[in-house]
Amino acid sequence: MIPGVELVIMGKQGAGKGTQATRLCRHYVIPHISTGDIFREAVRSDNDLGGRVREYLDAGELVPDDLVLAVIHERLEKPDSQERGFMLDGFPRTVNQAKDLDEMLKPSGGLDVVVNLDVPTDIVLERLAGRRVCAECKANYGTERPPELEGVCDVCGGTLQRRADDTDAGIRRRLELYEEQTRPVLEWYEDQGRLVSVIATGGVEEVTDRLIAAIDTQLNRR
Ligand code: AMP
């Protein structure tokens, strides 16, 4: 088995983070930690966290840092991430979150690689308009990768739905926030020499191969 690694996957909404993170986590045998999935699940199960984050998710706004950081601290303390490492998806989204993560990971020497999925905005807009997500297993589908049976997940048979925040206004707002708050995070990691950017257009498998090659090169340098 490949030894544990600590990775972050970044990219605009619709760049393919969820799809590629699932595939990369299988390859590196690490848990996939998506703050968006954690929050959506909390809203769905209507628990205390769900009640506190629902309005932010619906509006496409960022959840306040104290809540996001509490969720991440708790998740990274679990034995799977302690033993194997992790792939963070959707976190960090602000420089403040990145700084907090740096502090958290100081004892282990910090993140191994931050990989950025580089996709032009016109392509992500097209993908988001057609995006459908399985309500059960969270698998993603779209015009480039439709399910075999309309509305039904190939993986688990669950129902495919449009994400509640994939409205025109929600998409626009999230892309704005990406430019304002998240692009500086890329610069933060670039300055640390941890960032690799990969052109993420083309077939899903082809992009995964490119990502693994880029991550392995960076891992070998460390
Ligand atoms: P995502 O699935 O990554 O697009 O996240 C969906 C929504 O969850 C975002 O629009 C935010 O409302 C919230 N969210 C997820 N991750 C974060 C984060 N790191 N910081 C703040 N809000 C987040």
Side-chain angles (χ1 to χ4, degrees), residues 109-113 192-194 217-222:
L111 288 166
D112 291 302
V113 186
Q192 291 185 2
R194 297 181 203 270
T217 306
Q218 186 79 357
L219 284 174
N220 289 332
R221 278 206 199 113
R222 299 191 73 79

Side-chain angles (χ1 to χ4, degrees), residues 116-176:
N116 176 43
L117 305 192
D118 190 2
V119 180
T121 302
D122 54 337
I123 296 186
V124 301
L125 285 173
E126 215 172 277
R127 284 186 186 170
L128 289 168
R131 172 157 81 174
R132 297 292 178 275
V133 183
C134 175
E136 301 303 323
C137 76
K138 316 284 178 283
N140 273 258
Y141 297 87
T143 40
E144 292 166 355
R145 205 167 60 103
E148 277 179 27
L149 199 66
E150 174 73 29
V152 181
C153 178
D154 294 348
V155 181
C156 74
T159 308
L160 302 187
Q161 297 174 333
R162 192 154 195 214
R163 261 176 54 165
D165 56 355
D166 276 350
T167 57
D168 287 349
I171 290 169
R172 215 175 317 115
R173 181 63 185 142
R174 282 182 294 137
L175 284 172
E176 245 171 48

Side-chain angles (χ1 to χ4, degrees), residues 32-43 53 57 63 68 71-72 89-91 93 138 163 165:
H32 175 193
I33 302 176
S34 155
T35 40
D37 282 351
I38 294 172
F39 292 143
R40 276 186 292 278
E41 184 52 39
V43 169
V53 302
L57 265 74
V63 169
V68 183
V71 162
I72 282 289
D89 163 5
F91 178 92
R93 246 185 173 85
K138 316 284 178 283
R163 261 176 54 165
D165 56 355

